[in-house]
């Protein structure tokens, strides 16, 4: 029995009425510090007070085996999702002397459930976004057909511009989806100059906003440098950040600014690393949304955004051994680094 108790691949502990852990199996002792803590809720949950609606207390009262889903915190700070079952332990006179808790780790299951839920949300969001784009395409086609019947070349050009713009939007969604797929491996190449990629993105978006009151700026360090990069990945990352920055300027509700700008920066840090920045003076990110920017499929554009772009940004940075951070002030702007 002792060997079985010790070797079962679940966390097991025995708790008395005072909530002291009086026995634990090897896995529980390895993951949780039972030597320097007094109570079970301190040991495996980092709580200072007893849990609300404690199933151990309920088992002591009615002798029933109960279960619940809970989150444990290991000695090194990791959070583990578990399903816990209680079992009363009886003394010689038939009274309950202690309660055994058996925790089954379901962290991976929860992660997969969350991913499936996120995929469902993303698909629903993209379907709505694509539906809006298709409406734009239909509108452009109608304008073109009507203009052709009237032989109005100016109207044909306007309608065709609507078609091209919406095809470009669909293309962007598809490219981001493909990039986020795990099948794609980064195409790392030697002697790639990030200045060149930043300049290409600058020229691309400079043309796109020629008729808007948004200035695209390019700020490159004096020293050009080369390294091993995935050029397509860097290009996609910068394109997503610049597109988001332009939208932040387009939909800026603050009217006090004389002009809007988006700045692309690239510099070498002297330690072999490269810093890329995209700064705008647009609407900024509300403070209550700051902690959601790199979670789920975050977008502040409602049905006009899918949130995939920032996933691409984060994926590219991590593939290069880097990270993404941002600073933002509502009403003043945002900088992604």
């Amino acid at each position: 029995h002792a060997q079985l108790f010790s070797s079962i691949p679940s966390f097991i502990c025995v708790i008395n009425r005072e909530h002291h852990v009086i026995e634990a199996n090897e896995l529980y002792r390895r993951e949780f510090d039972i030597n320097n803590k007094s109570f079970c809720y301190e040991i495996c949950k980092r709580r200072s007070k007893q849990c609300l609606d404690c199933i151990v207390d309920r088992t002591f009262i009615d002798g029933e085996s109960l279960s619940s889903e809970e989150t444990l915190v290991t000695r090194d700070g990791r959070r583990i999702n578990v399903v816990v079952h209680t079992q009363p332990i009886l003394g010689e006179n038939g009274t309950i002397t202690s309660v055994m808790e058996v925790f089954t780790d379901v962290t991976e299951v929860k992660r997969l459930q969350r991913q499936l839920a996120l995929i469902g949300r993303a698909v629903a969001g993209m379907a709505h976004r694509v539906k809006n784009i298709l409406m734009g395409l239909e509108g452009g086609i109608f304008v073109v057909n009507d203009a052709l019947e009237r032989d109005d070349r100016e109207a044909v050009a306007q309608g065709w511009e609507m078609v091209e713009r919406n095809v470009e939007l669909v293309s962007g969604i598809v490219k981001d989806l493909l990039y986020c797929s795990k099948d794609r491996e980064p195409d790392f190449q030697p002697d790639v100059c990030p200045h060149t990629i930043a300049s290409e993105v600058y020229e691309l978006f400079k043309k796109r906003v020629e008729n808007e009151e948004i200035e695209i700026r390019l700020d490159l360090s004096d020293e050009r440098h080369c390294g091993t990069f995935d050029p397509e990945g860097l290009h996609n990352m910068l394109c997503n950040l610049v597109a988001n920055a332009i939208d932040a300027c387009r939909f800026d509700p603050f009217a006090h600014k004389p002009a809007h700008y988006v700045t692309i920066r690239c510099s070498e840090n002297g330690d072999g690393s490269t810093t890329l920045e995209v700064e705008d003076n647009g609407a900024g990110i509300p403070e209550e949304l700051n902690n959601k920017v790199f979670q789920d499929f975050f977008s502040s554009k409602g049905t006009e955004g899918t949130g995939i772009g920032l996933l691409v940004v984060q994926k590219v940075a991590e593939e290069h051994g880097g990270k993404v951070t941002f600073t933002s002030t509502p009403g003043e702007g945002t900088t992604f680094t």
Side-chain angles (χ1 to χ4, degrees), residues 42 60 84-86 110 130 188 210 240 247 264 294 321:
E42 292 178 327
F60 269 117
V84 55
H85 296 271
T86 62
K110 285 291 184 181
V130 171
F188 291 115
E210 283 180 346
N240 273 296
D247 284 341
I264 305 170
F294 295 117

Side-chain angles (χ1 to χ4, degrees), residues 241-258:
L241 288 176
V242 173
N244 284 348
I246 290 173
D247 284 341
C249 294
R250 282 172 175 161
F251 304 116
D252 187 0
F254 301 93
H256 64 277
K257 300 169 187 174

Side-chain angles (χ1 to χ4, degrees), residues 6 15 60 66 69 71 79 86 94 103-104 114 122 135 144 153 155 160 191 208 223 226 236 264 267 295 317:
S6 177
I15 302 171
F60 269 117
L66 303 172
E69 290 191 16
T71 301
R79 301 179 73 84
T86 62
F103 304 89
T104 302
R114 180 173 175 271
M135 292 174 62
V144 169
R153 299 183 64 85
W160 188 247
D191 300 323
R208 292 186 183 182
E223 294 294 328
C226 294
N236 284 341
I264 305 170
S267 61
Q295 296 179 6

Side-chain angles (χ1 to χ4, degrees), residues 193-200 220-225 266-267:
C193 179
H195 279 193
T196 300
I197 297 172
S199 299
E200 291 172 354
L220 304 178
S221 60
D222 294 335
E223 294 294 328
R224 293 176 64 87
H225 63 284
C266 179
S267 61

